[in-house]
Structures are given as C-alpha cells and as structure tokens.
C-alpha cells in the first residue's frame, strides 16, 4: 500500500542520480512544497541549464505523480526547503523523504517517519527490486554522509549474507 510522503530536494536529486527514482512512486504518493519545487527547478528556471532532475520533476508534476502542497505553518530548524518539507510531513502525518544528515536525524528524533535514499536502496534490495550490485552502485552515486553510506553498506552486506544463507 502506498504511503503519502513529503520530500526534500536532497532526496529527489539523490534518487534521480542513483537511478532509483522510478521505484519511489511504487511505494509513495509524493507531495512537494513550493519551496522544494523551486530548489529542484533552479537549474532550469534560473540558470537556464538542462537538468535531468528538474526535467523529470516537471514531467512527474505534469503527469500528477507529484502534487504540490504547502504546510499552513513551518518549522525553523534548517534551510527553507527542508523546513517546508518537514513541516508538511508533521502537519499531514506524511513520511518524510530527506537525505541531509542533520534534518534527517532531527526529524527522526521528534518521531517522524523518515526515509533517506540510502534507506530506500536497502529496502529495494531487500524486496528484490534491485540487485546487490545495483544497490551498492546507487549508494556510491548518492551525496550522503559517510556515516549514512557506511551504515547502508553494512546493512546491505548483512542482508546479502542472510539471503545467501
């Protein structure tokens, strides 16, 4: 069953770069705030540069795979996009898809259901949706903290060991 999720630009960009973004809509109904949308669209809208992440975002928005939704109030913990994504997740009781380490951990500490691209890659491997090599390559492509990458790689290795019996 799909879950509703608010996402930050960090998660969107990493999932695109890592090649796992197409799996995201299999598990989540995606909601984005105007602030996060501006961040994702910045290369196209401001710099006039082609960007796969921005182009795909626009396509999914036009197709209804992503819906714009803004929180009534915001938090003031981090940068504006992160704050808006977190506030929407709190207000609507959505999952929060985010990769930046400090917002990720702060959101978890207040009880939000938080998923990073490293978590999602491990989940996809565990579900048999991507191969072990695909999951490790995805983790190498992501811009995440060393700790997040190390934990995910250790978890993947343990899952592989368990699967191989």
């Amino acid at each position: 069953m799909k879950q509703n999720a608010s996402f930050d630009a960090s998660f969107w960009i990493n999932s695109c770069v890592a090649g796992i973004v197409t799996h995201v809509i299999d598990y989540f109904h995606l909601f984005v705030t105007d602030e996060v949308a501006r961040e994702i669209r910045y290369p196209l809208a401001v710099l006039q540069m082609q960007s796969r992440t921005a182009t795909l975002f626009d396509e999914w928005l036009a197709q209804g795979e992503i819906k714009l939704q803004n929180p009534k109030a915001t938090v003031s913990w981090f940068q504006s996009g992160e704050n808006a994504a977190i506030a929407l997740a709190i207000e609507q009781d959505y999952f929060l898809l985010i990769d930046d380490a400090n917002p990720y951990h702060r959101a978890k500490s207040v009880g939000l259901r938080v998923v990073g691209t490293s978590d999602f890659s491990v989940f996809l491997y565990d579900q048999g949706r991507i191969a072990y090599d695909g999951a490790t390559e995805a983790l190498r492509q992501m811009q995440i903290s060393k700790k997040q990458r190390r934990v995910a790689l250790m978890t993947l290795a343990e899952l592989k060991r368990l699967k191989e019996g």
Side-chain angles (χ1 to χ4, degrees), residues 24-38:
V24 176
I25 57 173
D26 294 337
Y27 297 95
F28 296 103
H29 296 288
L30 298 174
F31 295 89
V32 67
T33 67
D34 288 333
E35 186 62 37
V36 172
R38 273 191 292 279

Side-chain angles (χ1 to χ4, degrees), residues 52-63:
R52 180 180 178 277
T53 58
T55 303
L56 185 61
F57 175 82
D58 283 348
E59 288 172 11
W60 283 23
L61 196 60
Q63 295 167 1

Side-chain angles (χ1 to χ4, degrees), residues 52-148:
R52 180 180 178 277
T53 58
T55 303
L56 185 61
F57 175 82
D58 283 348
E59 288 172 11
W60 283 23
L61 196 60
Q63 295 167 1
E65 296 291 351
I66 298 171
K67 293 179 177 56
L68 284 171
Q69 186 176 16
N70 291 297
K72 292 180 182 75
T74 190
V75 297
S76 55
W77 300 350
F78 300 101
Q79 295 177 354
S80 59
E82 296 159 346
N83 289 338
I86 291 166
L88 183 61
I90 290 170
E91 194 173 279
Q92 299 296 325
D93 193 28
Y94 289 169
F95 273 79
L96 175 64
L97 310 180
I98 195 165
D99 276 342
D100 298 303
N102 290 333
Y104 174 98
H105 293 295
R106 173 80 186 270
K108 275 191 169 248
S109 76
V110 297
L112 291 178
R113 297 168 297 167
V114 183
V115 176
T117 50
S118 59
D119 305 321
F120 193 59
S121 294
V122 170
F123 172 78
L124 291 173
Y125 170 70
D126 187 48
Q127 296 296 301
R129 300 292 306 271
I130 60 175
Y132 179 81
D133 291 344
T136 57
E137 182 57 29
L139 288 166
R140 285 188 186 91
Q141 298 296 322
M142 297 172 195
Q143 291 189 6
I144 55 176
S145 74
K146 289 179 184 178
K147 181 180 178 184
Q148 286 171 307

